[in-house]
Amino acid sequence: MAIVNYREVRAVYTDTAITVYQAYATPIAGAALRAGRFVAPFKRERMTWIKPSFLWMMYRCGWATKPGQEHALAVSIARDGFEWALRQAVLSHYDRDLHADHAQWSRELKRSPVRVQWDPERSLRLGELPYRSLQVGLSGEAVNRYVDEWTVEITDVTAQAREIRQRLDNGDEPGAAALLPEERVYPLPADVAERIGAG
């Protein structure tokens, strides 16, 4: 896939849903998979970060091997919910191109239940790439909507993650790449793209 923009959302999506990734310890992941939604011991009081990029999630959780992140989950959520979150979002770091001044950014950050940050996208070997990948942090109202309204399906992709890692360890990069989800550039509405500094 040709990369045109420095900051783009790349994801698996349909006309109605987009897939994001999270990684959790067995108790949280197991309960979520059984219920088809996030339930205790998942804590709504904590900010929860969702990531549309599979490889960024693999970088973060070490192919589902890091303590407390042994289960990689693909969470299908409603696109209108995802876009609602981005319309409420404030960047985690001040950007003079998006905010009148530091004080305005700080006020917005305190009020918003959603924050976003753009981190280096990752290669198949999890090295940094020269363009950015989106992370979305949900708190308060946004977490409640995520859990109660937006979630369509939760799938365990731990075995897939570990199989990709095994193929890489065996030197089979084409085989590993063939197992990756097919992510495409997500068509952000213009107002959303402006809000989060995409482009």
Side-chain angles (χ1 to χ4, degrees), residues 51-78:
K51 303 148 183 81
S53 165
F54 179 83
L55 285 173
W56 205 99
M57 185 70 258
M58 293 305 103
Y59 164 73
R60 182 69 179 83
C61 71
W63 301 104
T65 62
K66 290 184 179 178
Q69 300 184 67
E70 301 93 347
H71 292 269
L73 303 179
V75 187
S76 177
I77 65 173

Side-chain angles (χ1 to χ4, degrees), residues 41-147:
F42 175 88
K43 297 185 183 301
R44 296 180 187 229
E45 300 77 22
R46 297 181 59 184
M47 178 166 281
T48 188
W49 288 89
I50 58 176
K51 303 148 183 81
S53 165
F54 179 83
L55 285 173
W56 205 99
M57 185 70 258
M58 293 305 103
Y59 164 73
R60 182 69 179 83
C61 71
W63 301 104
T65 62
K66 290 184 179 178
Q69 300 184 67
E70 301 93 347
H71 292 269
L73 303 179
V75 187
S76 177
I77 65 173
R79 280 179 60 167
D80 59 357
F82 179 70
E83 291 174 14
W84 179 91
L86 297 187
R87 284 190 172 95
Q88 319 307 312
V90 177
L91 285 182
S92 293
H93 300 95
Y94 170 65
D95 185 328
R96 68 180 64 190
D97 294 329
L98 296 178
H99 304 99
D101 53 42
H102 195 279
Q104 181 210 30
W105 165 77
S106 183
R107 287 192 301 271
E108 289 187 13
L109 190 66
K110 288 176 183 174
R111 287 197 300 260
S112 176
V114 183
R115 61 185 55 181
V116 296
Q117 60 190 51
W118 293 96
D119 296 305
E121 182 59 286
R122 298 288 159 170
S123 69
L124 182 57
R125 292 283 183 180
L126 306 185
E128 284 192 17
L129 293 172
Y131 47 91
R132 298 284 165 160
S133 178
L134 184 73
Q135 284 194 78
V136 184
L138 308 174
S139 65
E141 178 186 2
V143 170
N144 291 333
R145 286 175 178 249
Y146 176 62
V147 171

Side-chain angles (χ1 to χ4, degrees), residues 11-19 76-80 83 152-153 182 184 186-187:
V12 173
Y13 62 90
T14 66
D15 289 343
T16 58
I18 178 172
T19 298
S76 177
I77 65 173
R79 280 179 60 167
D80 59 357
E83 291 174 14
V152 176
E153 183 180 22
E182 294 187 20
R184 300 174 288 151
Y186 184 86

Side-chain angles (χ1 to χ4, degrees), residues 168-182:
L168 288 173
D169 289 346
N170 293 339
D172 180 14
E173 288 201 9
L179 294 177
L180 292 175
E182 294 187 20

